[in-house]
Amino acid sequence: MSALPRIPVLVSRAGAASAITAATLAASVLVPGLATEASAATAGEQALKVAASKQGSPYQYGAAGPNRFDCSGLTLYSFKRVGKSLPRTAASQYNSTRHVSGGSRQVGDLVFFHSGSNVYHVGIYAGSNKIWHAPKPGTSVRLEKIWSNSVWYGRVK
């Protein structure tokens, strides 16, 4: 059943004072997705977009942008661009974040790869079990599936 025949009824019932509200309601019925987002993107989501914009930038040990990155350099650069500061290394970044469980992770959280208590790699969670990261020498910034269960999550404060 189409919503179109009901629109004049909605508008007539709404009265003059609510005509704009009824028109907005009718438009949202006719054009799904027209409504605006209620909340702004988090710093993590914004940093994720920065990291994604660096796709293809080559890995270089110790580099923190704007054209070459190592893993923690990419996260440092991405969050700095959205007004958040992080320490330089992956381990220090882990220690400076609010730790969250895998079940509570959100897009934009940092994903820390570890062996025992040693954090050795970091990326930015992109959803669907994927991260943006600068993997290793000879590669470039890319989106990749999380390949290990030995990960911890941290949210930048």
Side-chain angles (χ1 to χ4, degrees):
M1 174 179 228
S2 172
L4 289 174
R6 294 181 38 206
I7 292 173
V9 173
L10 288 172
V11 174
S12 66
R13 287 186 184 165
S18 300
I20 293 175
T21 303
T24 303
L25 173 64
S28 66
V29 168
L30 294 173
V31 185
L34 184 65
T36 58
E37 289 292 320
S39 62
T42 66
E45 291 166 335
Q46 293 171 11
L48 177 67
K49 289 178 184 177
V50 172
S53 77
K54 294 300 179 177
Q55 180 177 11
S57 296
Y59 179 97
Q60 181 180 334
Y61 180 79
N67 299 313
R68 296 178 177 274
F69 301 92
D70 67 7
C71 67
S72 58
L74 179 64
T75 55
L76 171 79
Y77 177 86
S78 299
F79 277 91
K80 184 176 183 180
R81 297 278 297 175
V82 300
K84 297 288 184 176
S85 62
L86 284 172
R88 181 60 185 92
T89 67
S92 295
Q93 289 178 4
Y94 176 72
N95 290 331
S96 74
T97 60
R98 183 168 62 88
H99 303 160
V100 295
S101 69
S104 299
R105 68 186 177 184
Q106 296 175 357
V107 169
D109 286 343
L110 295 180
V111 181
F112 297 95
F113 294 78
H114 65 94
S115 177
S117 62
N118 178 43
V119 172
Y120 64 87
H121 187 66
V122 63
I124 303 177
Y125 187 63
S128 301
N129 208 38
K130 294 181 179 180
I131 59 168
W132 278 101
H133 69 139
K136 60 187 176 184
T139 65
S140 57
V141 173
R142 65 186 180 205
L143 180 67
E144 192 166 20
K145 183 179 177 187
I146 296 173
W147 61 89
S148 172
N149 290 325
S150 296
V151 294
W152 293 323
Y153 298 92
R155 189 160 299 144
V156 175
K157 302 172 189 172

